[in-house]
Amino acid sequence: MSRFARSLGASTLAAAILAVGALPALARSPSVSTTGNDISWPQCKGSYPAGQAFGIVGVNGGLANTLNPCLASELTWALSSSGLSAPGVLPKAALWVNTADPGAVVPVVADWPTDNLDPSGASEGPGTPNADPYGTCTGANDQACAWQYGWDRAIQDMRWVSAAASLPATTPWWLDVETGNTWETGSSGLANNVADLEGMVAAFTWVGKAATVGIYSTSTQWGQITGAPLPPTSALRGLPDWIPGARTLSGAQSTCRLAGFTGPVRITQWFGKPFDGDYACP
């Protein structure tokens, strides 16, 4: 991505609308690779990788509630992947989303929920099929509204993707969990952060019917945001991990041997030029 360096300062994209343009020229590649690449809004004005085995596209414009303005063309790029990932097997295309938990602080963000109605108009209130497990959201700074905020962001992400491309319902979603975005602090705040991410997972799993929802982060940042270890009943337990930090492909291959912070390590990333590379762990 590298989201650690490039996903910040994107507030100017908060009002972005879906801009479907021609697919930029692909960067030259000598041969088809068994590794992949991930791209998002920073690549909108340049070329895209070529010859990738799989592509992972960022839905947002750097913040959890903004849109990547070239989402459609980047999804077209991802779907052009060879599908020859190795040694692990991954689909041609996958998605990643920014995450955050701003909380009900002053000034309260405009999209902080005040009830259990999501952007599609459906209710996640008590007694509904996908009821908020933390109770009724009333606009407070609590787990119920944090869960609803995560659910709402995921619903919006899915609507953006549906408008941009036709993808299988089983397309994987990866949650980008980094300290660069806004998170709550303190014991109650960390619990709210966990609820927020659980809400996103619930929406992608139950509404989007995603076969895979995973976490992109590092063990350090994950601990700072969630206060790991997770509660025994948390829906985040067991999710596959996508771990960055390597500088070379061989380093990314070694990263596969690390212990995951929520579940097994499925993908590793190395910071490349001009594009980050991704390796499918065995």
Side-chain angles (χ1 to χ4, degrees):
M1 295 169 193
S2 155
R3 269 86 69 200
F4 294 103
R6 284 179 273 170
S7 68
L8 306 182
S11 59
T12 57
L13 291 177
I17 62 172
L18 189 61
V20 182
L23 187 67
L26 298 180
R28 292 184 179 180
S29 177
S31 63
V32 174
S33 174
T34 58
T35 61
N37 299 99
D38 58 86
I39 62 175
S40 188
W41 64 270
Q43 286 73 46
C44 284
K45 295 182 179 180
S47 61
Y48 298 163
Q52 74 283 351
F54 58 95
I56 311 177
V57 174
V59 176
N60 307 109
L63 299 175
N65 57 357
T66 62
L67 171 64
N68 173 1
C70 55
L71 177 60
S73 66
E74 291 190 349
L75 289 175
T76 298
W77 162 81
L79 291 169
S80 74
S81 303
S82 69
L84 301 176
S85 62
V89 178
L90 296 175
K92 289 183 178 183
L95 303 155
W96 68 267
V97 297
N98 286 108
T99 63
D101 175 21
V105 297
V106 179
V108 179
V109 296
D111 50 15
W112 186 255
T114 57
D115 53 35
N116 287 113
L117 294 177
D118 66 33
S120 69
S123 173
E124 288 73 51
T128 60
N130 296 303
D132 187 332
Y134 294 102
T136 302
C137 172
T138 60
N141 192 32
D142 57 17
Q143 286 176 285
C145 287
W147 184 94
Q148 186 69 45
Y149 182 80
W151 177 285
D152 290 353
R153 299 283 66 72
I155 294 295
Q156 183 63 76
D157 290 332
M158 287 186 282
R159 296 176 76 184
W160 280 334
V161 169
S162 295
S166 178
L167 297 177
T170 55
T171 299
W173 292 82
W174 294 89
L175 311 186
D176 180 2
V177 183
E178 298 184 57
T179 54
N181 281 324
T182 303
W183 297 98
E184 297 189 63
T185 59
S187 58
S188 61
L190 296 179
N192 290 350
N193 294 342
V194 170
D196 165 82
L197 295 170
E198 290 174 342
M200 296 194 79
V201 171
F204 287 135
T205 302
W206 295 105
V207 177
K209 302 186 185 304
T212 298
V213 180
I215 305 294
Y216 173 98
S217 191
T218 65
S219 58
T220 299
Q221 293 190 87
W222 180 255
Q224 291 175 349
I225 292 169
T226 66
L230 295 166
T233 58
S234 175
L236 304 177
R237 282 182 170 269
L239 297 182
D241 295 328
W242 174 11
I243 300 181
R247 297 293 172 181
T248 62
L249 171 57
S250 61
Q253 292 169 333
S254 297
T255 304
C256 288
R257 296 193 288 270
L258 296 178
F261 37 86
T262 56
V265 180
R266 183 87 182 277
I267 305 175
T268 57
Q269 180 193 66
W270 75 95
F271 300 149
K273 292 182 179 181
F275 306 106
D276 294 333
D278 298 292
Y279 178 73
C281 296

